[in-house]
Amino acid sequence: MDAENQILISNAHPKNWVNPKPEERYNLVVIGAGTAGLVCAAGAAVLGGKVALVERHFMGGDCLNTGCVPSKALIRCSRAAAAVASANQFGIQTSNSVIDFERVMKRVRSVRAKISFHDSVKRFTDLGVDVFLGQGSFVNEQTISVEGALLRFKKAVIATGARPDVPEIPGLKEAGYFTNETIFEITSLPERLAVIGGGPLGCELAQAFARLGSQVFVFHNKDHILDREDADAAEVLQTVLTAENIQLFLSSQISTVEKNQSRRIHFSVNDKEQTIEVSDILVGAGRVPNTEGLKLEAAGVQYNSRKGVLVNDYLQTTNKRIYASGDVCMRWKFTHAAEAASTIVLQNALFHRRKKLSSLSMPWCTYTDPEIAHVGMYEQDAKKKGIEVATFKVPLKDVDRAITDGEELGFIKIHTKKSTDQILGATIVAAHAGEMINEITLAMTNGVGLKRLASVIHPYPTESEAVKHAAVSYYRARLTPVAKRILTKWLELTR
């Protein structure tokens, strides 16, 4: 309970907070003060509505407290360590560099504390939101109970998020493990860290801890990491992680975990039994929606323990007065997805609009090094829908800025509908792929095709020039032998 965490608590869940007296009726009651709930509550209050916001734990939810903010702060520290370690390739000699892990984690908590005011109880009460701290649950189809108070609503939003999904491995609970909810409170570096799960969270934190000095082992039950991503992109990252001395156990099945002085993991790869000893275990094997304690049955809201609250394309639940947003109901479990969905909820719930979740072009990014960003369809998605695809791929080794920065490992890949310039999707593998994907997302959202991207002037040298190179490739692909002969003849006649 250092100064940084005391600041966090004072903002996110003040100890002496007294819940306000409820209004007779609210335009909107929101359960959950993560990204989805905060966007709904702030938006409705700014528009003049009477709004109540209910949170049982910390304001800011997973993103601020145990997700995006602390993980990206940790990753930034690990990138600084990697930059020092690789400085020699740029002609810079470094010696006696020391990683002070306790200071690293203090910075992580400091960043979180600094950002916490944005999501604080005070900020939202200043916006006119009635903040209720405690467990919210439905009493009936138009009333929520919290700490003995009854909140009647015209409309409500369920935005309770999700929590780590811990696999049922014999001995794991007894041996002890970290999840994203606990890993950012440690102050000493794990000597030998086992990471269960080779998805985005597992890969991000595996690389971060390896760069900070841990010996890392990743267990993944598929034949390559990031198995939902573009296979070429996953292969690039897999090569990088292996080069950074992270041991990958792919197609692995953990049978048991034993606790003695260390933790002994028994597992198999292709039916071959193996055992390793580690000091710590981090579980990053997916997420489960938070529906417990809400008494959704009382409100006529249907839900599933794995998929969460069931919603239609307008984010309405089976109770038409009640909507849901964010990780509790969506397959896109990203902060920006929750934010975008909540703007849809506000329009549909308060103003009777008919905005659809399916209309969004949703990008995402895995913040490893290099980053992997994606938007739209993968090639196999298009083929499943019977759409013929043309793919334009530019390796970063052909991009001047990537060469100057020593960031040549990666590519940009853009899929279009065959014989058109309509962009169906894109994947970028680059040091700053999360920044580069925005141009393509903007184009897709506004119906801008690849031809028009080719006419956009990009500063030289930048890695985003790769987008333009891919767009120019579209024109080159259209220059058929017949078209070239015609152009050659024309230029010959007009010489």
Side-chain angles (χ1 to χ4, degrees):
M1 188 52 65
D2 56 12
E4 288 73 23
N5 276 346
Q6 289 182 45
I7 292 171
L8 175 70
I9 290 172
S10 68
N11 284 325
H13 196 123
K15 291 182 179 179
N16 299 320
W17 178 253
V18 177
N19 286 337
K21 181 181 178 181
E23 294 283 342
E24 185 176 335
R25 195 182 196 205
Y26 289 97
N27 294 101
L28 193 69
V29 174
V30 182
I31 303 182
T35 299
L38 294 177
V39 171
C40 285
V46 168
L47 293 170
K50 287 290 183 182
V51 183
L53 177 62
V54 181
E55 173 54 52
R56 68 178 179 179
H57 190 40
F58 280 8
M59 299 277 286
D62 178 75
C63 179
L64 170 67
N65 298 287
T66 62
C68 307
V69 171
S71 68
K72 302 314 169 276
L74 182 70
I75 288 168
R76 180 63 186 91
C77 295
S78 72
R79 287 191 176 186
V84 172
S86 63
N88 188 58
Q89 67 173 304
F90 299 100
I92 300 168
Q93 300 296 327
T94 58
S95 59
N96 300 322
S97 61
V98 175
I99 296 173
D100 186 337
F101 188 75
E102 188 172 346
R103 285 186 63 193
V104 166
M105 297 310 295
K106 183 177 179 65
R107 180 185 183 273
V108 170
R109 293 191 296 275
S110 177
V111 169
R112 182 172 62 182
K114 186 175 182 179
I115 292 175
S116 66
F117 178 75
H118 301 162
D119 299 343
S120 65
V121 170
K122 182 180 187 309
R123 178 167 180 262
F124 277 78
T125 54
D126 287 348
L127 288 173
V129 176
D130 283 355
V131 176
F132 293 83
L133 298 180
Q135 172 66 57
S137 57
F138 287 93
V139 176
N140 54 44
E141 294 184 351
Q142 54 186 347
T143 310
I144 291 169
S145 171
V146 54
E147 298 295 311
L150 295 178
L151 312 181
R152 296 182 64 246
F153 58 82
K154 177 76 179 292
K155 298 290 175 62
V157 180
I158 301 165
T160 48
R163 64 185 183 278
D165 187 8
V166 179
E168 294 183 3
I169 299 171
L172 178 61
K173 182 178 179 181
E174 292 76 12
Y177 57 88
F178 293 112
T179 67
N180 70 290
E181 294 184 342
T182 54
I183 192 68
F184 301 113
E185 303 307 321
I186 66 175
T187 55
S188 58
L189 179 72
E191 183 182 350
R192 291 168 60 86
L193 178 66
V195 177
I196 299 176
L201 173 67
C203 288
E204 287 178 359
L205 294 186
Q207 186 180 49
F209 277 103
R211 288 179 164 190
L212 292 169
S214 298
Q215 187 173 359
V216 178
F217 310 87
V218 175
F219 294 86
H220 193 53
N221 59 6
K222 302 294 192 301
D223 59 4
H224 67 80
I225 59 172
L226 297 180
D227 48 275
R228 296 181 183 179
E229 270 297 348
D230 178 278
D232 292 342
E235 184 178 358
V236 171
L237 181 60
Q238 196 160 296
T239 300
V240 169
L241 297 185
T242 301
E244 294 187 8
N245 297 316
I246 296 171
Q247 192 162 351
L248 304 177
F249 295 110
L250 303 175
S251 300
S252 61
Q253 301 292 330
I254 299 176
S255 54
T256 59
V257 178
E258 287 182 278
K259 174 72 184 293
N260 41 40
Q261 280 116 356
S262 59
R263 291 164 175 83
R264 185 174 294 142
I265 298 177
H266 301 279
F267 65 100
S268 63
V269 177
N270 298 324
D271 297 325
K272 183 180 178 182
E273 299 292 333
Q274 301 182 53
T275 299
I276 66 164
E277 290 200 3
V278 298
S279 59
D280 299 276
I281 298 171
L282 170 63
V283 175
R287 299 180 64 71
V288 180
N290 291 323
T291 56
E292 72 286 347
L294 296 176
K295 299 183 181 178
L296 296 172
E297 298 86 351
V301 174
Q302 293 182 11
Y303 66 98
N304 179 289
S305 60
R306 300 300 300 181
K307 294 182 179 180
V309 175
L310 303 182
V311 294
N312 59 21
D313 205 11
Y314 307 107
L315 291 167
Q316 271 182 315
T317 70
T318 47
N319 179 336
K320 299 307 178 184
R321 291 175 177 267
I322 302 172
Y323 291 73
S325 182
D327 291 4
V328 75
C329 65
M330 292 161 52
R331 63 182 179 87
W332 293 323
K333 293 187 177 359
F334 314 117
T335 294
H336 54 279
E339 181 178 357
S342 292
T343 62
I344 289 176
V345 166
L346 282 175
Q347 293 177 76
N348 292 347
L350 301 182
F351 302 105
H352 308 291
R353 303 287 296 276
R354 302 289 282 174
K355 297 288 185 178
K356 294 184 178 182
L357 185 67
S358 61
S359 67
L360 300 177
S361 296
M362 185 61 64
W364 57 84
C365 184
T366 298
Y367 295 94
T368 47
D369 186 11
E371 296 177 352
I372 298 176
H374 180 82
V375 65
M377 296 184 191
Y378 295 100
E379 190 172 5
Q380 63 267 26
D381 296 333
K383 287 181 178 178
K384 286 178 183 176
K385 295 183 177 182
I387 302 172
E388 289 191 80
V389 172
T391 299
F392 303 93
K393 184 177 180 180
V394 177
L396 287 191
K397 64 183 178 63
D398 293 341
V399 179
D400 292 357
R401 179 60 182 272
I403 296 170
T404 63
D405 287 359
E407 297 173 348
E408 301 168 55
L409 195 61
F411 59 82
I412 180 170
K413 183 189 289 188
I414 300 178
H415 305 298
T416 63
K417 187 175 181 180
K418 193 170 183 179
S419 302
T420 78
D421 75 332
Q422 180 188 349
I423 301 171
L424 299 176
T427 297
I428 303 177
V429 181
H432 307 287
E435 308 291 342
M436 295 168 65
I437 200 71
N438 295 326
E439 180 177 6
I440 299 171
T441 306
L442 177 65
M444 292 179 64
T445 301
N446 292 280
V448 174
L450 208 52
K451 285 192 291 189
R452 289 177 66 186
L453 283 186
S455 67
V456 175
I457 300 172
H458 292 70
Y460 175 89
T462 56
E463 289 191 16
S464 62
E465 275 192 295
V467 177
K468 182 165 185 173
H469 293 342
V472 170
S473 296
Y474 167 79
Y475 275 109
R476 288 177 182 158
R478 291 175 66 84
L479 189 61
T480 63
V482 173
K484 188 171 182 179
R485 283 198 300 271
I486 292 171
L487 287 172
T488 300
K489 189 65 176 176
W490 166 255
L491 291 171
E492 181 183 321
L493 291 172
T494 57
R495 219 174 10 243

